[in-house]
Amino acid sequence: MQEALNRIDAVRAKYKEVYGKAPDVVVRAPGRVNLIGEHTDYNDGFVLPIAIDRDVIIAASKEDEAVLKMHSLNFESSSICPLAKIEKDPANPWSNYIRGVAAVLEEKGISLGGVAMAIEGNVPLGSGLSSSAALEVAAGMAFQALFGFNMGGPDMALLAQRAENSFVGVNCGIMDQFISRLGAKNHALFVDCRTLEYSLVPLPESGVSVIVANTMKKRGLVDSEYNTRRKQCEDATAILGRQIPQVAALRDVSVADFEKYSRFLPPDIRVRAEHVVTENDRVLKSVEVLKSGDMEAFGVLLNQSHESLRDLYQVSCRELDIMVEAAQSIPGVLGSRMTGAGFGGCTVSLVKDDAVSAFLKDVSARYESRTGIKPQMYVCKPESGAGVVGAD
Ligand code: GLA
């Protein structure tokens, strides 16, 4: 809490130093960790992420001149662009996420005036905790607070996703932006990524903890492999759609139908589809077991998800597997899996409270002795989604 207040003060102070006046608004948007439902969002499926207590803070005011002025505290760098011609800044790639949101708003006919912003974040970059979604959603919140348009949560998430897809050029699904905007304290968010209907699933406030372990391996292959997986899912949908007419996405394929028709799929596509179909099923089961408070059963589903991502969807890597194995070998760990797109980044583990200190010590030591890399660990509490700081 104190750290958050210090960071907000630091952003305000930097704003004043750079622009010579106090900011009119300060907003924040969090990163996320997905508990279960991986690589399901772009298959119209189900996800169950939480927002975490690491976020992006933006202090902002309107400017007379029709320009977007941005200053990053993390990069100690400034970037500026005219609103009439919003283009990427290759020297300041961090600014592209904000430029993208402004460009999409203009495209939608929501006209912006000039803005000056100071930006700071503590979501680790390139670690699969959605620092980019946090930045896009924070930018959307800042524009909304300054220009008074009133966008619902799902629409704000769609806006941020569109900025990432069409301006930044990363073909992500809706999960990261959605949870960053709509997360809630002490709850996971169950999202139907087709209808964008969502509901809050309470997580116990004591007894078990969520631990995020960062392999510190940057996610190298992720963009090209992500796009290949998406294409394979589309191919599987087309083939299964010929057998089962109502199939418009892998979300429409039940486990029973998959067993019946999977022989029509080439082997490399079949394993990808099997992951998505069974993962959707695991998300639905997770919501049920969480409602009944059965954390052991939830842990088993997390372990199954990892196996499926490793063996069928093949988006894990040596470092993620070592971290998961180390976690699963600690008594009191109910389940552990890679989280996010894969190929590096973080794992998420469900750990009994009395095993947390053993986890932090022993999993770190085992991981480091096998990989030579020092990991980072965060004990996470589900936090609220984006908002105006000081407004609630
Ligand atoms: C990345 C994408 C999300 C989602 C996950 C995998 O985080 O941004 O949309 O597809 O990978 O579940």
Side-chain angles (χ1 to χ4, degrees), residues 32 34 37-42 130 172-176 226 340-341:
R32 64 99 185 91
N34 189 19
E38 219 62 86
H39 290 278
T40 46
D41 61 352
Y42 53 84
S130 292
C172 62
I174 187 68
M175 169 170 70
D176 308 341
Y226 189 87

Side-chain angles (χ1 to χ4, degrees), residues 358-373:
F359 183 107
L360 298 177
K361 195 161 121 299
D362 298 348
V363 177
S364 298
R366 282 183 211 190
Y367 178 77
E368 192 175 348
S369 80
R370 288 189 62 193
T371 60
I373 309 172

Side-chain angles (χ1 to χ4, degrees), residues 170-219:
V170 175
N171 204 12
C172 62
I174 187 68
M175 169 170 70
D176 308 341
Q177 292 78 8
F178 206 91
I179 180 68
S180 180
R181 177 66 190 86
L182 285 151
K185 231 180 167 43
N186 301 325
H187 290 79
L189 191 69
F190 170 64
V191 188
D192 177 334
C193 298
R194 170 174 282 163
T195 61
L196 297 189
E197 282 166 344
Y198 59 96
S199 58
L200 294 174
V201 180
L203 289 180
E205 285 173 42
S206 62
V208 288
S209 296
V210 173
I211 301 185
V212 172
N214 189 343
T215 62
M216 305 304 279
K217 165 127 197 294
K218 295 275 179 214
R219 301 167 308 141

Side-chain angles (χ1 to χ4, degrees), residues 102-135:
V104 174
L105 280 169
E106 294 270 348
E107 202 178 278
K108 284 171 89 67
I110 299 178
S111 89
L112 305 172
V115 180
M117 292 180 171
I119 304 115
E120 193 269 348
N122 67 354
V123 188
L125 303 183
S127 304
L129 298 178
S130 292
S131 54
S132 5
L135 180 50

Side-chain angles (χ1 to χ4, degrees), residues 218-236:
K218 295 275 179 214
R219 301 167 308 141
L221 289 168
V222 74
D223 285 354
S224 61
E225 292 291 337
Y226 189 87
N227 290 336
T228 314
R229 297 298 181 285
R230 285 191 75 140
K231 171 79 175 55
Q232 289 170 322
C233 291
E234 282 164 22
D235 292 348

